[in-house]
């Protein structure tokens, strides 16, 4: 699944880069690698658990590419254009229907990045014609209608869920203003995703990567400023504006409106638009060549080294290390519990697993096993649970198998 999702990201992003006019193949390859390279352990989990996060990113790339294609009227032939319109608006509705993450990641940021500049333009002109504003500007028309359909889909989703399920209570604790703690988590996630490591020795390779990641971010900010000053390509400006709007909106939403405990759940899909923005900044002809060299070199080195460090962390990290340490301590001390209670005891159904072997080695006067599914596939599962609570009651496994299986 992860391999399929990684390939899907590469193709979807390449489609978006073609639509916005990025021409250099090496640059397309670089940003495609950047979008799937595990710069941190969190990003590794996101990419490998791709069926949860990656579809948000893939659909976001395809959706924005369709939007820009329709706005630039690049679809040749009325039938092809009509098919793209139908696909775009159906996708808008489905984004809302699929859930809040799609709405937050790119629907609302796209709407804001199109509407605010247009309103500012109308105010400067001193006139605000509703017809000119909504109908004659294709960017405003498609983004506005898409946002309406997305909101309609999300409303329908909420209505159906309210009929299917009864929510007994609603917690207001997550909606009570600015939270410094969540903002700090978001900032940490951003800088770590960019290659920065909290625990790094100054003269070690990880310390060198931290320095380069800071240089990369500064060079990227300089590149964005240069881009806005000199480039008037509307589709490219929309991509950069979309990234900045999504970035700022998600910080505001998570820190002020909704204090989410896991910011990356919502935040990472919005950071995905950094990669096409990076390509647009690098291809900007007026961007100083030395700044380009610094940005590309630092990004490439950070990308390569962070990926190597992350894979190294994944290879040596054991999520059960603390549990093993506690188990070994209790075993060595020959400690006896008054009670041992195994909740969700169906996880002991395979007597050959480390979980089953470890808990059966612990000493207790009384043992309980709680499960709603003591038998799922075979009677051996029931034997394994009884082997924990009453060892020997159902004989050894060989005898049990010959008698009952």
């Amino acid at each position: 699944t992860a391999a399929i999702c990684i390939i899907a990201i590469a193709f979807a992003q390449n489609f978006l880069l073609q639509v916005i006019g990025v021409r250099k193949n090496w640059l397309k390859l670089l940003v495609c690698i950047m979008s799937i390279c595990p710069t941190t352990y969190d990003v590794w989990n996101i990419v490998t658990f791709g069926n949860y996060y990656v579809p948000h990113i893939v659909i976001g790339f395809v959706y924005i590419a369709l939007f820009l294609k329709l706005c630039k009227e690049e679809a040749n032939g009325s039938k092809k254009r009509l098919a793209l319109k139908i696909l775009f608006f159906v996708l808008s509705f489905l984004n809302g229907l699929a859930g809040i993450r799609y709405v937050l990641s790119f629907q609302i940021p796209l709407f804001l990045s199109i509407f605010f500049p247009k309103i500012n333009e109308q105010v400067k002109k001193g006139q605000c014609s509703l017809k000119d504003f909504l109908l004659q500007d294709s960017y405003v028309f498609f983004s506005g209608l898409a946002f309406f359909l997305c909101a309609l889909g999300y409303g329908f989703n909420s209505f159906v869920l309210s009929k299917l399920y009864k929510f007994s209570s609603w917690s207001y604790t997550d909606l009570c203003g600015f939270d410094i703690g969540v903002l700090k988590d978001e900032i940490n996630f951003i800088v770590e995703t960019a290659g920065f490591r909290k625990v790094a020795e100054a003269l070690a390779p990880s310390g060198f990567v931290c320095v380069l990641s800071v240089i990369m971010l500064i060079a990227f900010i300089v590149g964005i400023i240069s881009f806005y000053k000199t480039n008037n390509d509307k589709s490219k400006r929309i991509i950069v504006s979309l990234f900045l709007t999504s970035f700022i909106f998600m910080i505001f939403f998570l820190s002020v409106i909704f204090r989410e405990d896991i910011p990356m759940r919502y935040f990472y899909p919005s950071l995905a638009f950094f990669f096409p923005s990076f390509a647009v900044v690098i291809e900007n002809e007026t961007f100083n060549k030395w700044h380009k060299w610094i940005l590309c070199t630092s990004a490439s080195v950070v990308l390569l080294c962070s990926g190597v460090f992350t894979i190294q962390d994944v290879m040596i990290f054991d999520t059960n290390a603390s549990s093993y340490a506690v188990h070994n301590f209790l075993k060595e001390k020959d400690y006896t519990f008054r009670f041992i209670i195994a909740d969700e005891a169906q996880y002991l159904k395979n007597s050959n697993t480390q979980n089953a072997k470890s808990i059966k080695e612990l000493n207790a006067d009384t043992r309980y096993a709680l499960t709603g599914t003591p038998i799922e596939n075979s009677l051996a599962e029931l034997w394994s649970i009884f082997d924990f609570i009453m060892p020997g009651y159902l004989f050894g496994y060989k005898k049990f198998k010959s008698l009952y299986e």
Side-chain angles (χ1 to χ4, degrees), residues 329-347:
F329 172 80
L330 295 173
K331 188 178 177 182
E332 289 170 5
K333 299 295 182 182
D334 198 28
Y335 190 86
T336 300
F337 290 95
R338 178 69 183 87
F339 298 99
I340 291 181
I341 304 171
D343 192 17
E344 302 292 349
Q346 67 272 13
Y347 289 108

Side-chain angles (χ1 to χ4, degrees), residues 362-383:
L362 298 179
N363 301 317
D365 296 332
T366 306
R367 301 184 183 199
Y368 292 96
L370 310 179
T371 177
T373 52
I375 303 174
E376 292 179 296
N377 299 305
S378 70
L379 286 174
E381 298 170 0
L382 182 64
W383 176 87

Side-chain angles (χ1 to χ4, degrees), residues 266-281:
Y266 295 97
F267 211 12
Y268 187 71
S270 67
L271 289 179
F273 289 104
F274 164 81
F275 307 114
S277 300
F278 179 90
V280 165
V281 168

Side-chain angles (χ1 to χ4, degrees), residues 32-215:
C32 283
I33 294 173
M34 288 175 70
S35 63
I36 61 176
C37 186
T39 50
T40 66
Y41 195 85
D42 285 336
V43 177
W44 171 274
N45 289 331
I46 287 170
V47 174
T48 53
F49 192 34
N51 56 323
Y52 187 73
Y53 292 97
V54 173
H56 297 69
I57 301 169
V58 172
I59 291 176
F61 286 156
V62 173
Y63 181 84
I64 300 303
L66 286 175
F67 169 76
L68 295 174
K69 249 186 176 309
L70 287 171
C71 292
K72 294 197 298 184
E73 299 185 354
E74 286 186 352
N76 297 322
S78 57
K79 289 184 179 180
K80 184 177 179 181
R81 183 167 176 77
L82 178 61
L84 285 179
K85 282 183 179 179
I86 293 172
L87 177 61
F88 176 73
F89 289 130
V90 168
L91 197 57
S92 300
F93 180 78
L94 292 177
N95 285 338
L97 195 64
I100 192 67
R101 289 183 185 86
Y102 290 86
V103 181
L104 296 175
S105 298
F106 50 86
Q107 289 281 11
I108 293 178
L110 177 64
F111 177 79
L112 295 177
S113 62
I114 297 293
F115 266 67
F116 280 153
K118 186 63 179 178
I119 291 173
N120 185 49
E121 181 185 325
Q122 292 288 324
V123 170
K124 284 183 178 179
K125 287 182 178 178
Q127 57 182 5
C128 188
S129 168
L130 187 63
K131 182 180 178 182
D132 292 342
F133 184 77
L134 290 177
L135 300 180
Q136 294 191 358
D137 190 315
S138 59
Y139 290 90
V140 174
F141 172 75
F142 283 114
S143 62
L145 186 54
F147 181 71
F148 172 76
L149 290 172
C150 177
L152 195 66
Y154 185 67
F156 182 74
N157 173 292
S158 301
F159 173 77
V160 170
L161 287 179
S162 67
K163 295 298 180 183
L164 292 175
Y165 303 98
K166 290 185 179 179
F167 302 99
S168 58
S169 63
W170 175 260
S171 172
Y172 290 95
T173 58
D174 289 336
L175 299 167
C176 55
F178 186 70
D179 187 351
I180 293 291
V182 173
L183 180 60
K184 183 180 177 182
D185 290 341
E186 290 167 10
I187 293 172
N188 286 338
F189 182 71
I190 295 165
V191 296
E192 287 171 17
T193 303
F196 192 87
R197 291 177 163 248
K198 286 188 243 181
V199 182
E201 297 179 11
L203 300 178
S206 53
F208 178 65
V209 171
C210 286
V211 173
L212 281 180
S213 63
V214 174
I215 293 173

Side-chain angles (χ1 to χ4, degrees), residues 214-226:
V214 174
I215 293 173
M216 177 188 71
L217 290 173
I218 294 172
F220 181 65
I221 293 170
V222 172
I224 286 180
I225 295 171
S226 173

Side-chain angles (χ1 to χ4, degrees), residues 199-307:
V199 182
E201 297 179 11
L203 300 178
S206 53
F208 178 65
V209 171
C210 286
V211 173
L212 281 180
S213 63
V214 174
I215 293 173
M216 177 188 71
L217 290 173
I218 294 172
F220 181 65
I221 293 170
V222 172
I224 286 180
I225 295 171
S226 173
F227 171 81
Y228 270 110
K229 283 183 177 180
T230 58
N231 199 304
N232 293 317
D233 187 312
K234 195 159 187 177
S235 62
K236 292 182 178 179
R237 290 179 74 92
I238 285 174
I239 288 295
V240 177
S241 298
L242 176 62
F243 164 66
L244 295 175
T245 305
S246 179
F247 181 78
I248 295 169
F249 174 75
M250 292 307 294
I251 290 179
F252 174 80
F253 180 82
L254 294 173
S255 301
V256 179
I257 298 178
F258 184 69
R259 302 190 305 173
E260 174 59 45
D261 293 332
I262 311 175
M264 73 175 181
R265 180 181 297 175
Y266 295 97
F267 211 12
Y268 187 71
S270 67
L271 289 179
F273 289 104
F274 164 81
F275 307 114
S277 300
F278 179 90
V280 165
V281 168
I282 291 293
E283 264 209 339
N284 183 23
E285 294 178 356
T286 59
F287 190 29
N288 186 285
K289 65 178 182 179
W290 289 108
H291 287 169
K292 285 185 182 182
W293 187 87
I294 292 171
L295 179 54
C296 271
T297 304
S298 58
S300 300
V301 174
V302 168
L303 174 76
L304 178 64
C305 293
S306 296

